[in-house]
């Protein structure tokens, strides 16, 4: 892989809680949901410009958290600025899809061309085992009810985004004992909604799923085979941090490496205090 990307950690809060998700601040863990710092939109754009000086191979600016990109306005604000200043970059937004239909027009207007939606089940009974709560317009929904709300919102959002011409990738976290036999149904469903590619992500055991086993090579291969009956399967996922920068596997760095020391201010400390698990 010779194309680089930069992930901009501008989205501090999330509106759902997945049982495997543990968001945190550090500079060492190599996984989603981790960042060294939350950035303001203007700072994020200046760091993209700095990153392009160091890595001219960067072609993609992505926002994948560390919270949900649509749970606060910062991601769309950032993409709007990037689209104005750096129109040749490919903008990619990742979301859980709860608010996707609501903001699909705004996503397209902000210059986002590719969209990643995490869909871990299309059966509320299965999703209830993966997602413990959904917060929609300030109301907390739990159990099968909350799962059904999320699935319904994802379906409507994916369909609308596809109608707007966005390229849609579906991330599925593979949890063999919960959704391992459900992968084919997820892939068939999202294909009918307009998705174009699927990415199967092996579970990282943590949080409520700390005692779960990740899928082995056979289970991962089987899941990809089932998904591939409906859609092409993306096979280059590196479990990237929310602040990753550079070419995956080739001298990767993080946004923290680009930040000048003077940005370690009380303002940023205050932003980090808003970091939430939903």
């Amino acid at each position: 892989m010779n194309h680089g990307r930069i992930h901009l950690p501008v989205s501090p809060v999330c509106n759902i809680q997945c049982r495997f998700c543990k968001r945190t601040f550090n500079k060492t863990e190599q996984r989603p949901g981790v960042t060294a710092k939350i950035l303001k939109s203007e700072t994020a754009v200046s760091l993209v410009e700095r990153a392009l000086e160091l890595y001219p191979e960067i072609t993609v600016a992505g926002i994948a958290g560390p919270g949900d990109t649509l749970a606060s306005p910062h991601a769309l604000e950032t993409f709007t600025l990037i689209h104005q200043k750096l129109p040749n970059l490919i903008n990619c937004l990742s979301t859980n899809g709860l608010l996707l239909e609501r903001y699909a027009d705004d996503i397209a207007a902000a210059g986002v061309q590719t969209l990643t939606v995490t869909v871990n089940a299309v059966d509320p009974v299965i999703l209830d085992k993966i997602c413990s709560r959904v917060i929609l317009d300030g109301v907390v929904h739990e159990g099968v009810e909350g799962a059904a709300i999320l699935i319904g919102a994802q379906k409507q959002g994916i369909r609308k985004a596809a109608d707007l011409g966005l390229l849609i990738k579906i991330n599925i976290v593979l949890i063999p004992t919960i959704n391992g036999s459900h992968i084919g149904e997820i892939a068939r469903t999202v294909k009918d909604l307009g998705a174009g590619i699927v990415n199967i992500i092996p579970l990282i055991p943590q949080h409520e799923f700390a005692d779960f086993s990740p899928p082995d090579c056979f289970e991962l291969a089987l899941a990809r085979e089932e998904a591939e009956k409906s859609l092409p399967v993306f096979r280059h996922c590196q479990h990237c941090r929310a602040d990753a920068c550079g070419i995956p596997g080739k001298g990767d760095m993080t946004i923290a490496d680009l930040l000048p020391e003077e940005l370690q201010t009380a303002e940023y400390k205050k932003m980090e205090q808003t970091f939430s698990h939903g």
Side-chain angles (χ1 to χ4, degrees):
M1 180 179 293
N2 295 315
H3 295 289
R5 82 296 185 228
I6 182 167
H7 287 178
L8 302 169
V10 299
S11 301
V13 297
C14 197
N15 45 20
I16 71 172
Q17 178 58 60
C18 295
R19 301 183 192 276
F20 56 76
C21 184
K22 183 181 180 182
R23 294 182 291 278
T24 189
F25 288 101
N26 66 57
K27 297 181 180 181
T28 57
E29 289 184 82
Q30 299 300 318
R31 63 173 179 83
V34 176
T35 182
K37 184 165 289 293
I38 299 292
L39 301 178
K40 293 193 299 182
S41 297
E42 296 81 1
T43 302
V45 176
S46 68
L47 290 182
V48 174
E49 295 172 324
R50 168 64 176 150
L52 286 169
E53 295 175 1
L54 298 173
Y55 288 101
E57 303 92 343
I58 288 176
T59 58
V60 177
I63 302 180
D68 187 70
T69 50
L70 301 179
S72 64
H74 311 304
L76 292 180
E77 291 172 357
T78 303
F79 277 133
T80 298
L81 292 172
I82 292 173
H83 189 51
Q84 292 170 352
K85 292 188 174 184
L86 301 163
N88 292 328
L89 279 182
I90 298 170
N91 292 333
C92 180
L93 179 143
S94 298
T95 178
N96 59 41
L98 180 62
L99 299 176
L100 179 54
E101 183 185 26
R102 184 179 300 181
Y103 291 112
D105 289 313
D106 296 325
I107 291 169
V112 174
Q113 299 105 313
T114 64
L115 180 71
T116 297
V117 186
T118 299
V119 180
N120 293 323
V122 292
D123 180 335
V125 174
I126 296 175
L127 187 60
D128 177 36
K129 299 174 183 177
I130 301 172
C131 180
S132 59
R133 66 178 179 271
V134 172
I135 304 172
L136 182 60
D137 297 325
V139 180
V140 178
H141 303 272
E142 298 179 331
V144 174
E145 177 206 8
I149 288 172
L150 178 56
I151 292 169
Q154 290 173 331
K155 289 180 176 179
Q156 292 170 338
I158 292 169
R159 183 179 289 110
K160 183 170 182 179
D163 289 343
L164 289 170
L166 275 69
L167 301 176
I168 302 172
K169 173 167 67 74
I170 302 298
N171 279 353
I172 306 172
V173 178
L174 175 59
I175 311 163
T177 56
I178 296 180
N179 67 354
S181 61
H182 188 52
I183 301 300
E185 184 177 354
I186 298 172
R188 288 190 297 273
T189 299
V190 298
K191 177 186 178 182
D192 290 343
L193 295 170
I197 192 168
V198 168
N199 178 29
I200 310 295
I201 302 176
L203 172 74
I204 298 176
Q206 59 187 359
H207 198 42
E208 291 185 49
F209 285 179
D211 295 328
F212 278 56
S213 297
D216 58 29
C217 293
F218 175 78
E219 290 168 325
L220 181 58
L222 182 61
R224 286 173 169 168
E225 182 180 318
E226 285 299 309
E228 214 154 25
K229 292 176 182 177
S230 298
L231 287 170
V233 173
F234 181 78
R235 296 175 183 268
H236 302 291
C237 181
Q238 299 288 323
H239 273 142
C240 292
R241 291 166 54 97
D243 60 357
C245 177
I247 301 173
K250 296 182 180 180
D252 223 11
M253 61 193 296
T254 72
I255 288 293
D257 298 314
L258 303 174
L259 273 173
E261 188 65 29
E262 58 266 26
L263 286 183
Q264 309 295 324
T265 64
E267 180 180 8
Y268 280 84
K269 297 294 183 183
K270 183 177 180 181
M271 288 182 72
E272 288 169 5
Q273 290 171 5
T274 69
F275 191 64
S276 168
H277 287 270

